[in-house]
Amino acid sequence: MPAPTEPARRPRGALVAVRVVVPVVFALSLWYLFTNVIRFGYIVSTSMEPTLLVGDYYIVRLHAYTAQRPPQRGDVIVFVAADGDPYVKRVIGLSGERFLVFGGSVWLDGRWLPEPYLKERPGLAPPVAVTVPAGSVYVMGDNRNFSADSRDAGPVPLEQIMGRVIRIVWPSDRMRVMEPIAYSP
C-alpha cells in the first residue's frame, strides 16, 4: 500500500495577507467611501414633501458638482446653511438667471416652470423678481407653502453645497433612486 501524501501547505505569507491585510484594506475602503464619497442623511421637516418625507433616510453623493458639471435645475441638493445645519432643497434657479416667483410658482423664459413634484399649488404672494448671482443657485422646497428656502434666505453659494441626494434608502417601501428632472427647453 502506498504511503499517504501530506497535503500541500500554504505559505505563511498568504495566510497573513488573507487574515490581516484584506480586512484592513476593506475597512479603509469603507472609511474612504463614507467620508469622501457618500453620506447618509435623515429628513426632519416637511419642506420637501412629497419627494422626501419626515423619517426618510437618504444618500448624498458628496462633491457631486464641479466647474464642468454645476448643479442642474431640478437637482435635490444638501447644503450647509449659515446656521451650520444641513438643508435639503431643490435647485430652481441657476447662476446668472433671471426669473419671477409668484407665491411659490416660477415664471422663467416666458413660461411657467413645470414642477410635477410640488405637493400642492403654492399660495398667492406678490411677484418677486430674482437674479441669481454668479456662483450661486436658487433653491426651494417641494412643499412650497411650508418651506424656508431661497425666498427667505437668498441664493445658496456653490461652495456651501455638500452634494446631491441620489437615493432614498429607508423606509424600505420608499427606497428609490432620485432621478434628475428633465426640463425641456
Side-chain angles (χ1 to χ4, degrees), residues 3-184:
T5 58
E6 246 184 67
R9 290 188 173 211
R10 281 190 180 174
R12 212 152 164 68
L15 189 58
V16 169
V18 170
R19 290 193 175 166
V20 176
V21 175
V22 171
V24 168
V25 169
F26 181 74
L28 289 173
S29 299
L30 285 178
W31 171 80
Y32 181 81
L33 176 69
F34 290 117
T35 58
N36 295 300
V37 180
I38 65 171
R39 288 230 175 105
F40 291 94
Y42 177 75
I43 298 296
V44 296
S45 81
T46 61
S47 71
M48 283 300 292
E49 288 183 355
T51 306
L52 295 165
L53 304 178
V54 172
D56 282 354
Y57 284 84
Y58 58 87
I59 295 175
V60 178
R61 180 172 169 238
L62 301 175
H63 315 294
Y65 302 112
T66 65
Q68 293 75 31
R69 191 350 186 140
Q72 302 298 303
R73 186 180 340 280
D75 287 355
V76 176
I77 65 168
V78 177
F79 63 95
V80 179
D83 63 7
D85 289 335
Y87 285 83
V88 179
K89 302 292 178 195
R90 188 176 300 275
V91 175
I92 299 299
L94 306 174
S95 285
E97 283 187 332
R98 296 185 60 157
F99 54 92
L100 292 173
V101 176
F102 290 92
S105 299
V106 179
W107 181 260
L108 174 69
D109 295 334
R111 63 187 169 96
W112 292 106
L113 184 66
E115 297 184 283
Y117 42 75
L118 291 181
K119 179 172 183 171
E120 59 193 13
R121 186 181 179 119
L124 297 176
V128 176
V130 174
T131 301
V132 183
S136 298
V137 292
Y138 196 86
V139 297
M140 296 170 85
D142 291 357
N143 189 1
R144 299 279 162 85
N145 294 325
F146 299 98
S147 176
D149 46 42
S150 287
R151 293 173 293 173
D152 306 301
V156 175
L158 295 178
E159 56 270 4
Q160 287 181 241
I161 298 175
M162 286 176 55
R164 182 171 63 87
V165 176
I166 59 172
R167 176 179 285 274
I168 298 172
V169 294
W170 190 259
S172 60
D173 62 330
R174 293 192 33 80
M175 287 172 50
R176 66 183 171 93
V177 172
M178 298 287 291
E179 299 290 342
I181 302 291
Y183 288 100
S184 56

